[in-house]
């Protein structure tokens, strides 16, 4: 009767506790990512309909800094993004899905590693705002940083080729996001007592499609910077969204993209609850 009760000092207790904590952090990370994308989508729709400013992920995080509940929420976001980053890096290193070690698998694991590193940066940004609250009125801080490190890359040997590699990475990311939007196979990562509702898959498809568009436009910025060897041509997500607004019918294109990014945030919140989390500790 008592053997069914788990005790933290059992032989497998520490490992089970570590896996539970890692799983909880990963789920908190999906929730944090969902909130960030909801904010990005909100800024995009507001920019399209009311002339506000677009924002990238760092800008969305910064917008919470001057709110009364900001420091606490930013601390939770930082913890969640850090947990998500560690989970992605663990997936890249340990290959918990047990995929075959072919070129496709190595490409996917490389993408997981890059995602992990990117979310470490975001976690650091959120932690910085949580510890040192300051005005969040500047909602696009990452675009200038993108131009700064693009300028640094261009000053290195084979600089344009390095920036071109960054552009290629964004194009690959766009293709992967578009593939997910087209196939809808991401719902296989969700679990539940009943089949995944169709509207959840639809929200995910639209969200991944919006991300594919933003990744592609960002890749074009870096491709132009590489071709012309000018760092001023580079830009981040906020610049990509602003560029959509400058196109014919840009108001509605930006609004639709913002809604798509918001739906990606909603889907991330669903993943926080139902995503299968593979953990190896």
């Amino acid at each position: 009767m008592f053997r069914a009760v788990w005790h933290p000092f059992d032989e497998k207790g520490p490992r089970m506790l570590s896996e539970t904590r890692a799983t909880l952090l990963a789920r908190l990370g999906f929730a944090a990512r969902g909130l960030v994308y909801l904010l990005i989508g909100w800024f995009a729709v507001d920019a399209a309909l009311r002339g506000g400013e677009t924002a990238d992920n760092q800008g969305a995080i910064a917008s919470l800094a001057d709110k009364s509940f900001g420091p606490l929420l930013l601390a939770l976001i930082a913890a969640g993004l850090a947990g998500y980053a560690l989970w992605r890096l663990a997936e890249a290193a340990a290959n918990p899905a047990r995929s075959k070690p072919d070129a496709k698998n190595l490409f996917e694991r490389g993408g997981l590693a890059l995602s992990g590193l990117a979310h470490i940066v975001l976690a650091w940004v959120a932690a910085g705002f949580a510890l040192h609250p300051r005005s969040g009125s500047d909602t696009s801080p990452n675009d200038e940083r993108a131009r700064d490190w693009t300028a640094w890359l261009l000053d290195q040997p084979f600089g344009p080729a390095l920036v071109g590699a960054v552009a290629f990475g964004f194009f690959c990311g766009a293709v992967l996001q578009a593939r997910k939007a087209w196939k809808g196979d991401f719902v296989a990562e969700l679990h539940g007592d009943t089949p995944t509702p169709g509207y959840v898959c639809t929200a995910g498809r639209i969200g991944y499609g919006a991300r594919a568009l933003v990744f592609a436009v960002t890749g074009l910025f870096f491709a132009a910077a590489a071709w012309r060897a000018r760092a001023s041509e580079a830009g981040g997500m906020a610049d990509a969204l602003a560029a959509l607004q400058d196109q014919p019918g840009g108001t509605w294109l930006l609004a639709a993209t913002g809604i798509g990014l918001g739906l990606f945030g909603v889907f991330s919140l669903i993943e926080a609850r139902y995503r299968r989390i593979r953990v190896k500790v």
Side-chain angles (χ1 to χ4, degrees), residues 257-274:
T257 304
I259 292 172
L261 294 174
L263 286 175
F264 184 79
V266 172
F267 181 73
S268 294
L269 294 176
I270 294 173
E271 286 186 293
R273 173 62 179 86
Y274 294 106

Side-chain angles (χ1 to χ4, degrees), residues 26-232:
R27 295 198 183 283
L28 181 59
F30 277 108
R33 187 181 73 171
L35 175 59
V36 169
Y37 268 90
L38 283 171
L39 289 171
I40 294 171
W42 168 260
F43 280 118
V45 173
D46 183 67
L49 301 182
R50 298 198 301 175
E53 295 290 333
T54 57
D56 60 4
N57 39 30
Q58 293 190 29
I61 291 172
S63 70
L64 298 173
D66 57 354
K67 302 296 187 292
S68 58
F69 55 85
L72 176 59
L73 184 55
L74 286 167
L76 291 174
I77 289 175
L81 293 175
Y84 182 86
L86 292 176
W87 173 60
R88 282 305 198 189
L89 291 173
E91 275 199 314
N95 191 25
R98 298 292 184 269
S99 301
K100 295 181 180 179
D102 53 15
K104 178 182 177 182
N105 173 250
L106 293 176
F107 181 75
E108 291 177 347
R109 291 170 72 181
L112 291 172
L114 289 176
S115 175
L117 293 174
H119 282 86
I120 285 177
V121 173
L122 289 179
W124 180 266
V125 171
F129 279 116
L131 294 173
H132 306 287
R134 54 188 183 272
S135 175
S137 59
D138 181 5
T139 55
S140 57
N142 199 38
D143 297 306
E144 286 301 327
R145 293 180 183 179
R147 285 184 275 274
D148 289 342
W149 61 258
T150 300
W152 179 82
L153 281 177
L154 289 172
D155 288 338
Q156 308 308 307
F158 307 104
L162 294 175
V163 178
V166 174
F168 179 74
F170 274 107
F171 289 140
C172 288
V175 170
L176 290 176
Q177 301 295 303
R179 179 181 178 275
K180 288 185 177 183
W182 177 258
K183 299 189 70 173
D185 53 2
F186 49 82
V187 296
E189 294 294 335
L190 303 179
H191 68 84
D193 297 331
T194 59
T196 303
Y199 63 83
V200 172
C201 184
T202 299
R205 284 178 183 270
I206 296 173
Y208 278 112
R211 290 230 302 174
L213 177 60
V214 173
F215 280 25
V217 175
T218 306
L220 288 174
F221 284 151
F222 284 99
W227 180 259
R228 299 174 183 172
R230 290 207 304 256
S232 59

